[in-house]
Amino acid sequence: MQPISRRQALLLGGMGVAATAAGGAGLIWTLTSPSGPVTGANLVQPEENRSVDGQLQVRLEAAPGRILLGDRQAMAMGYNGSIPGPTLRIRPGDVLKIKLVNKLARPTNLHVHGLHVSPEGNGDNIFISVEPGGTFDYEYKLPADHPPGVYWYHPHHHGMVADQIFAGLFGGIIVEDPEPIETSAERVLVVSDTTLDGLGNILAVPALERMMGREGQLILVNGQSNPQFPARPGERERWRIINACVARYLRLRLDGQQLQLLGMDSGRYAKPETVDDLLLTPGNRADLLVTTATGDSTLRAFYQDRGSMPRMMGPGFGARSAAGQPDGTPLATLRVSGEPVASQTSVPDYQGLGDLRTSAVTAHRSIVLSAGMGMGGGAGMMRFTINGREFIKGRTDTTVAAGSVEEWTLTNTSPMDHPFHLHVWPMQIIEGDDQGKASAVWQDVVNVPANGRVKVRVAFNDFRGRSVYHCHILDHEDLGMMGVIEVR
Ligand code: C2O
Ligand code: CU
Ligand code: CU
């Protein structure tokens, strides 16, 4: 008998009910039918909603439904019937009002990832639960000096975040520049991954996959498999790339084109930075300028080693290596041809988010990210903790005085990477970043390498209230790798 492959095992695992319903023939069809993606469809942009006169009011209905993912009719979940949900375009100083309507069978809520807004009341308050059939009116007031950049929204109901995002609940938010950058095209590219069974249902994820952090078999851009789009040589396009994958790290390349990184997460660098590749851990975003040159170029995701599970799980369990991993997975293809167009004006400089390297530090804090066997996890379950504890909604783990500048040392004692995310307040990387940069580097998701350490500084200005920090491998977050911060 042939040993069963991991993929077949996954399919079989998820096919229990469907296989019974469809009979043996259905099962065999599932296992043998190729699920290779259809390539070459034109890139579709999510619907856009733009603020007018300082306000944007939208209704987001989270509901299950049949949605085309790649070339498959999937039984997925989307906002307003699409994956990704609509892109929200707002400006510093705006008020964003979102009516969330929950048509799902389970509770949900909404988080505006990266926005510097109040975490209290009906703001970016992830302690709210919107029950099935319920609605909630969120309202976010952006400060007048809110950094421009790429942000996104997604559910944040503890215990269900990974499943709901894996099923398709996410969308982009763009905060426009104070001074516009001249470009020939603006594209929002939301990268997500998921796994479908033979009937198009989102596959349930076994416990061991959650512990490693699930990686879906389909990697999609705006819900499409390797879509294409045309351009003429000499154009300057602006790509807003969002890593909406639950756990997949994206090492991106676009060979044959000139790439300049305007910024990561929030704000922009003082000057654009020429890059060959870029790493987006789950939750990160890139604001990228592409100056086009004749030829076809494919945006590809390359393998990124993010470590393995601790040894105690058994020899080699969960070890990931380049072998056996799909590498250089095509995400989208740019086809550049025709007459060259005139070159664009220069990119205006950006007065950054400031630099805390010379600031007086009010408090030093240690945040320890761990994964290990422990009591209470159940047989074979690992515990994912921050400072030795799993998330409890009602407990405040970190209390910060409003107005202070803190330095946090993020230490990872586990053999796998964890992308650390803090809500509301962006972090400046002080030490541990791979390249010593002249200007300040601000991110809201910072990778803490396996057995590694990163130092960040945070200015707790503007807002008070309770919010969270967590690992943005959202399976880890759901398993408890999250803590509560209160600024008061
Ligand atoms: Cu994108 Cu608390 O998350
Ligand atoms: Cu967030
Ligand atoms: Cu993690």
Side-chain angles (χ1 to χ4, degrees), residues 153-436:
Y153 59 87
H154 62 76
H156 216 291
H157 193 291
H158 180 63
M160 304 171 198
V161 181
D163 281 347
Q164 292 186 355
I165 290 181
F166 204 58
L169 292 172
F170 47 79
I173 300 174
I174 308 291
V175 178
E176 308 282 5
D177 295 293
E179 216 187 317
I181 297 177
E182 199 188 316
T183 54
S184 53
E186 264 244 20
R187 304 184 194 279
V188 174
L189 305 174
V190 187
V191 184
S192 65
D193 65 357
T194 196
T195 306
L196 304 178
D197 70 12
L199 298 176
N201 298 303
I202 308 284
L203 210 53
V205 177
L208 290 179
E209 294 269 316
R210 289 175 190 263
M211 290 187 268
M212 189 57 215
R214 70 183 76 184
E215 296 195 7
Q217 291 166 2
L218 281 174
I219 312 183
L220 304 164
V221 170
N222 297 350
Q224 299 178 283
S225 286
N226 192 10
Q228 62 163 26
F229 46 98
R232 286 165 60 190
E235 288 192 307
R236 182 162 73 200
E237 300 208 344
R238 188 170 187 180
W239 295 9
R240 317 278 203 158
I241 308 175
I242 299 170
N243 184 355
C245 299
V246 167
R248 183 186 295 274
Y249 282 40
L250 297 169
R251 163 114 11 228
L252 301 176
R253 292 189 68 92
L254 178 72
D255 290 342
Q257 306 294 327
Q258 192 206 318
L259 308 181
Q260 288 171 290
L261 193 57
L262 286 173
M264 285 266 289
D265 294 356
S266 51
R268 289 194 354 232
Y269 301 149
K271 296 196 182 307
E273 204 176 286
T274 300
V275 292
D276 290 323
D277 64 0
L278 57 148
L279 176 66
L280 296 186
T281 72
N284 278 139
R285 294 85 61 204
D287 196 345
L288 194 67
L289 287 183
V290 180
T291 305
T292 55
T294 302
D296 289 356
S297 294
T298 299
L299 180 69
R300 292 179 187 276
F302 287 86
Y303 172 74
Q304 172 74 19
D305 183 10
R306 59 180 178 90
S308 61
M309 299 275 273
R311 281 271 165 67
M312 56 191 85
M313 289 306 289
F317 175 81
R320 282 163 190 262
S321 66
Q325 292 282 324
D327 208 9
T329 307
L331 298 184
T333 300
L334 170 68
R335 299 187 190 285
V336 184
S337 63
E339 287 298 306
V341 298
S343 61
Q344 319 267 339
T345 56
S346 64
V347 177
D349 285 357
Y350 173 74
Q351 306 303 359
L353 295 174
D355 193 339
L356 300 179
R357 282 178 292 191
T358 51
S359 301
V361 170
T362 333
H364 290 80
R365 220 176 271 281
S366 163
I367 302 271
V368 180
L369 309 169
S370 308
M373 303 300 283
M375 319 273 195
M381 286 300 285
M382 310 209 25
R383 291 178 73 232
F384 289 87
T385 59
I386 298 183
N387 291 345
R389 307 200 285 198
E390 286 166 333
F391 173 73
I392 292 178
K393 197 177 174 173
R395 182 190 66 212
T396 299
D397 301 285
T398 304
T399 306
V400 170
S404 59
V405 172
E406 294 205 350
E407 180 171 293
W408 290 13
T409 302
L410 313 172
T411 307
N412 182 352
T413 64
S414 75
M416 65 199 301
D417 291 13
H418 298 286
F420 181 81
H421 173 48
L422 171 63
H423 285 207
V424 184
W425 301 274
M427 299 174 277
Q428 183 184 352
I429 302 174
I430 298 297
E431 188 189 299
D433 193 22
D434 36 1
Q435 61 263 22

Side-chain angles (χ1 to χ4, degrees), residues 111-114 124 152 154 156 421-424 444-445 470 472:
H111 168 48
V112 284
H113 180 132
D124 189 22
W152 62 303
H154 62 76
H156 216 291
H421 173 48
L422 171 63
H423 285 207
V424 184
D444 55 55
V445 183
H470 59 89
H472 217 288

